[in-house]
mmCIF file of all heavy atoms in Angstrom:
data_model
loop_
_atom_site.group_PDB
_atom_site.id
_atom_site.type_symbol
_atom_site.label_atom_id
_atom_site.label_comp_id
_atom_site.label_asym_id
_atom_site.label_seq_id
_atom_site.Cartn_x
_atom_site.Cartn_y
_atom_site.Cartn_z
ATOM 1 N N ALA S 2 65.098 118.959 86.730
ATOM 2 C CA ALA S 2 65.560 117.804 87.492
ATOM 3 C C ALA S 2 66.177 116.764 86.559
ATOM 4 O O ALA S 2 65.838 116.682 85.386
ATOM 5 C CB ALA S 2 64.407 117.185 88.260
ATOM 6 N N ALA S 4 66.644 113.006 85.207
ATOM 7 C CA ALA S 4 65.731 111.871 85.073
ATOM 8 C C ALA S 4 66.141 110.745 86.011
ATOM 9 O O ALA S 4 67.295 110.587 86.359
ATOM 10 C CB ALA S 4 65.730 111.378 83.636
ATOM 11 N N GLY S 5 65.187 109.956 86.436
ATOM 12 C CA GLY S 5 65.472 108.826 87.310
ATOM 13 C C GLY S 5 65.117 109.153 88.750
ATOM 14 O O GLY S 5 64.289 110.005 89.033
ATOM 15 N N LYS S 15 81.963 123.363 88.423
ATOM 16 C CA LYS S 15 82.930 124.103 89.220
ATOM 17 C C LYS S 15 84.085 124.562 88.338
ATOM 18 O O LYS S 15 84.453 123.883 87.380
ATOM 19 C CB LYS S 15 83.490 123.221 90.334
ATOM 20 C CG LYS S 15 82.538 122.952 91.452
ATOM 21 C CD LYS S 15 83.266 122.181 92.540
ATOM 22 C CE LYS S 15 82.355 121.942 93.717
ATOM 23 N NZ LYS S 15 83.059 121.194 94.776
ATOM 24 N N LYS S 17 87.809 124.709 87.828
ATOM 25 C CA LYS S 17 88.904 123.912 88.345
ATOM 26 C C LYS S 17 90.232 124.631 88.121
ATOM 27 O O LYS S 17 90.472 125.209 87.060
ATOM 28 C CB LYS S 17 88.961 122.554 87.644
ATOM 29 C CG LYS S 17 87.669 121.760 87.759
ATOM 30 C CD LYS S 17 87.367 121.416 89.186
ATOM 31 C CE LYS S 17 87.686 119.980 89.456
ATOM 32 N NZ LYS S 17 87.341 119.556 90.798
ATOM 33 N N LYS S 24 101.017 123.847 91.880
ATOM 34 C CA LYS S 24 102.267 123.422 92.491
ATOM 35 C C LYS S 24 103.418 124.388 92.192
ATOM 36 O O LYS S 24 104.406 124.400 92.916
ATOM 37 C CB LYS S 24 102.642 122.037 91.971
ATOM 38 C CG LYS S 24 101.627 120.981 92.312
ATOM 39 C CD LYS S 24 101.871 119.706 91.535
ATOM 40 C CE LYS S 24 100.706 118.759 91.707
ATOM 41 N NZ LYS S 24 100.801 117.602 90.818
ATOM 42 N N LYS S 48 128.203 123.563 87.342
ATOM 43 C CA LYS S 48 127.698 124.905 87.596
ATOM 44 C C LYS S 48 128.468 125.521 88.764
ATOM 45 O O LYS S 48 128.751 124.844 89.756
ATOM 46 C CB LYS S 48 126.204 124.866 87.922
ATOM 47 C CG LYS S 48 125.385 124.393 86.737
ATOM 48 C CD LYS S 48 123.942 124.147 87.070
ATOM 49 C CE LYS S 48 123.248 123.545 85.861
ATOM 50 N NZ LYS S 48 122.108 122.760 86.200
ATOM 51 N N LYS S 53 124.655 128.584 91.379
ATOM 52 C CA LYS S 53 123.702 127.786 92.154
ATOM 53 C C LYS S 53 123.110 128.591 93.309
ATOM 54 O O LYS S 53 121.928 128.466 93.628
ATOM 55 C CB LYS S 53 124.391 126.523 92.684
ATOM 56 C CG LYS S 53 124.746 125.531 91.586
ATOM 57 C CD LYS S 53 125.319 124.263 92.148
ATOM 58 C CE LYS S 53 126.758 124.444 92.558
ATOM 59 N NZ LYS S 53 127.420 123.163 92.874
ATOM 60 N N ARG S 54 123.912 129.439 93.913
ATOM 61 C CA ARG S 54 123.432 130.265 95.020
ATOM 62 C C ARG S 54 122.366 131.249 94.537
ATOM 63 O O ARG S 54 121.350 131.449 95.187
ATOM 64 C CB ARG S 54 124.611 131.015 95.645
ATOM 65 C CG ARG S 54 124.245 131.845 96.847
ATOM 66 C CD ARG S 54 125.470 132.413 97.539
ATOM 67 N NE ARG S 54 126.202 133.336 96.693
ATOM 68 C CZ ARG S 54 127.438 133.107 96.208
ATOM 69 N NH1 ARG S 54 128.074 131.980 96.492
ATOM 70 N NH2 ARG S 54 128.043 134.008 95.474
ATOM 71 N N LEU S 56 120.413 130.824 91.984
ATOM 72 C CA LEU S 56 119.233 130.084 91.545
ATOM 73 C C LEU S 56 118.350 129.645 92.703
ATOM 74 O O LEU S 56 117.209 129.267 92.491
ATOM 75 C CB LEU S 56 119.660 128.850 90.736
ATOM 76 C CG LEU S 56 120.176 129.112 89.325
ATOM 77 C CD1 LEU S 56 120.737 127.833 88.746
ATOM 78 C CD2 LEU S 56 119.102 129.681 88.444
ATOM 79 N N VAL S 62 106.944 136.292 88.439
ATOM 80 C CA VAL S 62 106.539 136.030 87.060
ATOM 81 C C VAL S 62 106.426 137.366 86.334
ATOM 82 O O VAL S 62 105.987 138.365 86.916
ATOM 83 C CB VAL S 62 105.190 135.274 87.047
ATOM 84 C CG1 VAL S 62 104.640 135.140 85.655
ATOM 85 C CG2 VAL S 62 105.353 133.914 87.683
ATOM 86 N N ILE S 70 98.266 133.033 84.035
ATOM 87 C CA ILE S 70 98.253 132.308 85.305
ATOM 88 C C ILE S 70 96.961 132.560 86.054
ATOM 89 O O ILE S 70 96.424 131.670 86.718
ATOM 90 C CB ILE S 70 99.485 132.687 86.149
ATOM 91 C CG1 ILE S 70 100.752 132.288 85.408
ATOM 92 C CG2 ILE S 70 99.447 132.001 87.509
ATOM 93 C CD1 ILE S 70 102.018 132.737 86.060
ATOM 94 N N ASP S 71 96.402 133.772 85.925
ATOM 95 C CA ASP S 71 95.104 134.059 86.537
ATOM 96 C C ASP S 71 94.023 133.139 86.001
ATOM 97 O O ASP S 71 93.126 132.710 86.725
ATOM 98 C CB ASP S 71 94.696 135.511 86.285
ATOM 99 C CG ASP S 71 95.374 136.473 87.247
ATOM 100 O OD1 ASP S 71 95.714 136.043 88.367
ATOM 101 O OD2 ASP S 71 95.557 137.641 86.879
ATOM 102 N N ASN S 76 90.838 130.437 91.552
ATOM 103 C CA ASN S 76 90.548 130.612 92.979
ATOM 104 C C ASN S 76 91.720 131.194 93.748
ATOM 105 O O ASN S 76 91.764 131.122 94.966
ATOM 106 C CB ASN S 76 90.145 129.266 93.593
ATOM 107 C CG ASN S 76 88.908 128.721 92.939
ATOM 108 O OD1 ASN S 76 87.985 129.466 92.635
ATOM 109 N ND2 ASN S 76 88.884 127.418 92.706
#
Side-chain angles (χ1 to χ4, degrees):
K15 287 185 177 180
K17 303 297 256 184
K24 298 168 190 171
K48 295 172 186 154
K53 291 184 282 191
R54 183 172 64 247
L56 286 172
V62 172
I70 298 174
D71 279 333
N76 299 320

